[in-house]
Amino acid sequence: MKKIFLFAAMLGLFLNATAQDDKDGFQFEDQHMVKTTSIKDQHRSGTCWSYSALAFMESEMLRMGKEPVDLAEMFVVRKAYEEKAEVYVRMHGKMNFSAGGAINDNFEVLEKYGMMPEEAYPGLSYGTEKHTHFEMDKALKDYLDAIIEKKNPTLSTAWFEGYKGILDAYLGKVPERFEYEGKTYTPQSFAKEVVGIDYADYRMFSSYTHHPFYEEFILEVPDNWTWGHVWNVPLDEMIETFDNALKNGYSIAWAADVSEKGFSWKHGVAIVPAEEKKDLGGTEKDKWADMSDKERKKAMYSFDGPVPEKEITQEKRQKAFDNYSTTDDHGMQIVGIAKDQEGNKYYKVKNSWNNNGHIYDGYFYASEAYVKYKTMSYMVHKDAVPDDIMKKID
């Protein structure tokens, strides 16, 4: 997923002054909420994929009756960066190498290397209190590009140790053992005894027509550097799965596009306003239909309150993916279903852009239309998938 942290950092400068006023525009009522841990802050790092998937894991642990644990996002980032480097060198640099990643990266790290709590590996060994990765990201990429140039006749045996040295300098060396609540663990034993999550119990999904439904395919986005597979289901079954999961206490790890004009972190909403006149009932909606094009375009993105939204079809979703208007931008966690003051359906989303002064304390509400339109992929526990859908994919 692409790095959206600059956008978040700039918006954070003025959220305090506007939060209370903006609450008057949209009024939300939470209906189905799952258990979550506290909001985290990725700050100036492109690691939303780690924050979102670990938030999802933390909620899964709560659902399983375990004590809340703050998992170490930078442990996952560290291990993913190591594996990504090996693939990048083997591919002679002909692949994407960036701070971005995918939901499944976290589960593959969990399975291969284990897990750590935040207190054992905060990943802040370079003189800042919050994650600021510009320098590290550039240093890692430049180092690998220098290796790939092959000024020597062959690759040396030292290149990978040199690469890990950069990671050690910025994120810190990974301890072989650590103390947590009075007990000594390795990352592997912590994953088994404390986290207790089995990757085999989870499924990744998407919904596009350039591959057959009910089959797996490799999602063609730059940050899918592991070439991870997703199950392909129709749009209505995607939403059916979302609702079934949330109504039964399961959250959703969500990869989506937040670059749309209808996404407003300041206002805490994500919508897809209708641009055309429609035959709408109700006084307020009739007024909307009677507006001039200029008036409607101005009102569309004022975020003063609910507006009519586009009807999202499978075809519109596919077109947006094919023409790059839907891109792999951001990883988040969907934690609930809500409705606005007019009864429209929304999903409540946990973000990783801190909660200082934010209108909804680090959460936002995405309309059903937005979720239908801009979901790239998602992960849920297999038991959260309706039985008839599971039969089709298994």
Side-chain angles (χ1 to χ4, degrees), residues 34-42 51-52 54-56 58-59 62 68-71 73 118 333 335 349-355 360-363:
V34 303
K35 295 179 181 179
T36 61
T37 55
S38 62
I39 294 286
K40 311 303 191 301
D41 185 11
Q42 70 183 84
Y51 279 84
S52 57
L54 293 197
F56 173 72
E58 290 169 4
S59 285
L62 293 175
V69 178
D70 185 0
L71 299 176
E73 291 85 7
E118 176 73 12
Q333 180 194 15
V335 299
V349 184
K350 181 183 179 183
N351 207 350
S352 55
W353 292 348
N354 210 334
N355 62 349
Y360 297 117
D361 298 322
Y363 293 83

Side-chain angles (χ1 to χ4, degrees), residues 183-198:
K183 186 175 179 179
T184 301
Y185 294 94
T186 65
Q188 290 80 5
S189 67
F190 185 81
K192 182 178 180 180
E193 298 173 30
V194 179
V195 180
I197 287 175
D198 186 351

Side-chain angles (χ1 to χ4, degrees), residues 189-255:
S189 67
F190 185 81
K192 182 178 180 180
E193 298 173 30
V194 179
V195 180
I197 287 175
D198 186 351
Y199 190 11
D201 289 336
Y202 295 84
R203 300 289 184 272
M204 282 283 292
F205 289 92
S206 192
S207 179
Y208 290 112
T209 57
H210 65 292
H211 291 284
F213 289 133
Y214 310 117
E215 294 184 12
E216 284 186 296
F217 72 95
I218 297 173
L219 186 59
E220 305 96 333
V221 294
D223 284 331
N224 187 19
W225 61 274
T226 63
W227 305 298
H229 289 72
V230 296
W231 284 101
N232 199 26
V233 296
L235 179 56
D236 59 342
E237 294 186 3
M238 179 182 89
I239 294 299
E240 183 183 349
T241 299
F242 276 37
D243 292 348
N244 188 70
L246 294 163
K247 289 176 182 179
N248 288 282
Y250 296 86
S251 73
I252 300 156
W254 187 46

Side-chain angles (χ1 to χ4, degrees), residues 295-312:
E295 289 171 331
R296 194 179 310 107
K297 286 178 181 179
K298 181 179 180 181
M300 247 186 265
Y301 301 103
S302 66
F303 300 101
D304 289 336
V307 297
E309 294 194 63
K310 288 182 180 179
E311 293 180 6
I312 305 303

